[in-house]
Amino acid sequence: AQSVTQLGSHVSVSEGALVLLRCNYSSSVPPYLFWYVQYPNQGLQLLLKYTTGATLVKGINGFEAEFKKSETSFHLTKPSAHMSDAAEYFCAVTRGSGTYKYIFGTGTRLKVLA
Amino acid sequence: GAGVSQSPRYKVAKRGQDVALRCDPISGHVSLFWYQQALGQGPEFLTYFQNEAQLDKSGLPSDRFFAERPEGSVSTLKIQRTQQEDSAVYLCASSLALASGGISYNEQFFGPGTRLTVL
């Protein structure tokens, strides 16, 4: 079975500060991991994904995440927050192929303070 | 556009009405998924199709929910006798999901969703 835990349903950071959104997963098989962003009344937009290979993954809008197997974590970071980063962020896990469902976390709402 | 499209974007139904939600996946995508996203929650899996075959419907919350994909492309999620607890955003996703030349395509592409409100 697979599961995802996102610590912190709400995170606030000042503009220009580091963004850190936490994601821990549980998986009995090698996981594929994703971060999605969702703006109000919009669908899910893929930020980045880890499948195999390099454990530090760079995504769009300056975000990156590191897959740490020993810690079963896939935290999302961005060195400097921008006002436009305010949104809901979801971490998801799945098995290797595209034939498996995604298991999503409950989401973290990021607020960026001016 | 080449993305996943869903219609309608918004649907208001009176309790007890039947609704049908449509998903147009990316052309050529074999796999199609439906998810339900309640307010303030992450998406939760409902059902999965590979071409026209419904291979997994373990996430459908009750027998009032029914999904089909008769020709292996467009899919419809139908909810009969809607209840207030059915109010949610229904997301559709598709993936190529074929192993070709040793490469497996696993990314799901999501549509914008249909927001269903049951009064």
Side-chain angles (χ1 to χ4, degrees):
Chain A
Q2 296 180 306
S3 66
V4 172
T5 300
Q6 290 185 242
L7 293 176
S9 58
H10 292 80
V11 171
S12 293
V13 300
S14 297
E15 191 174 19
L18 172 72
V19 175
L20 171 61
L21 304 183
R22 299 179 185 274
C23 172
N24 288 87
Y25 71 90
S26 172
S27 180
S28 58
V29 298
Y32 280 37
L33 294 156
F34 304 82
W35 274 100
Y36 283 88
V37 61
Q38 187 176 40
Y39 297 99
N41 298 316
Q42 295 188 26
L44 296 171
Q45 180 182 3
L46 180 68
L47 279 177
L48 49 78
K49 63 181 178 182
Y50 168 78
T51 55
T52 59
T55 56
L56 182 62
V57 180
K58 294 185 183 300
I60 62 172
N61 301 337
F63 285 94
E64 62 181 38
E66 186 171 10
F67 170 62
K68 292 187 176 180
K69 184 178 179 180
S70 61
E71 299 177 8
T72 62
S73 70
F74 190 58
H75 300 331
L76 181 71
T77 61
K78 181 175 181 178
S80 177
H82 191 273
M83 297 298 289
S84 61
D85 295 327
E88 185 105 30
Y89 292 80
F90 293 96
C91 180
V93 65
T94 190
R95 294 173 176 254
S97 84
T99 61
Y100 290 99
K101 61 189 177 187
Y102 283 15
I103 306 297
F104 285 88
T106 52
T108 298
R109 184 169 297 279
L110 176 66
K111 185 175 182 179
V112 181
L113 307 172
Chain B
V4 178
S5 61
Q6 293 186 245
S7 60
R9 289 293 314 278
Y10 302 90
K11 177 70 178 178
V12 178
K14 292 182 179 179
R15 190 173 57 181
Q17 283 185 331
D18 297 349
V19 298
L21 312 180
R22 177 187 170 106
C23 172
D24 285 81
I26 294 172
S27 177
H29 277 198
V30 170
S31 291
L32 186 146
F33 300 79
W34 283 98
Y35 295 85
Q36 180 190 58
Q37 185 177 18
L39 187 64
Q41 300 295 316
E44 293 192 356
F45 170 78
L46 292 177
T47 187
Y48 160 61
F49 290 86
Q50 189 169 88
N51 295 307
E52 68 279 5
Q54 188 175 22
L55 299 186
D56 186 348
K57 53 182 180 179
S58 62
L60 296 177
S62 78
D63 58 7
R64 296 186 294 104
F65 286 71
F66 171 76
E68 61 183 4
R69 194 186 184 196
E71 298 179 357
S73 56
V74 172
S75 177
T76 303
L77 176 66
K78 297 179 179 178
I79 308 173
Q80 297 176 324
R81 304 181 303 283
T82 53
Q83 303 295 315
Q84 285 188 325
E85 61 262 30
D86 300 335
S87 295
V89 175
Y90 291 85
L91 296 168
C92 175
S94 69
S95 74
L96 190 57
L98 286 177
S100 174
I103 300 172
S104 64
Y105 299 86
N106 60 300
E107 179 180 342
Q108 293 182 23
F109 294 85
F110 285 83
T114 294
R115 181 177 297 276
L116 173 65
T117 302
V118 181
L119 303 177

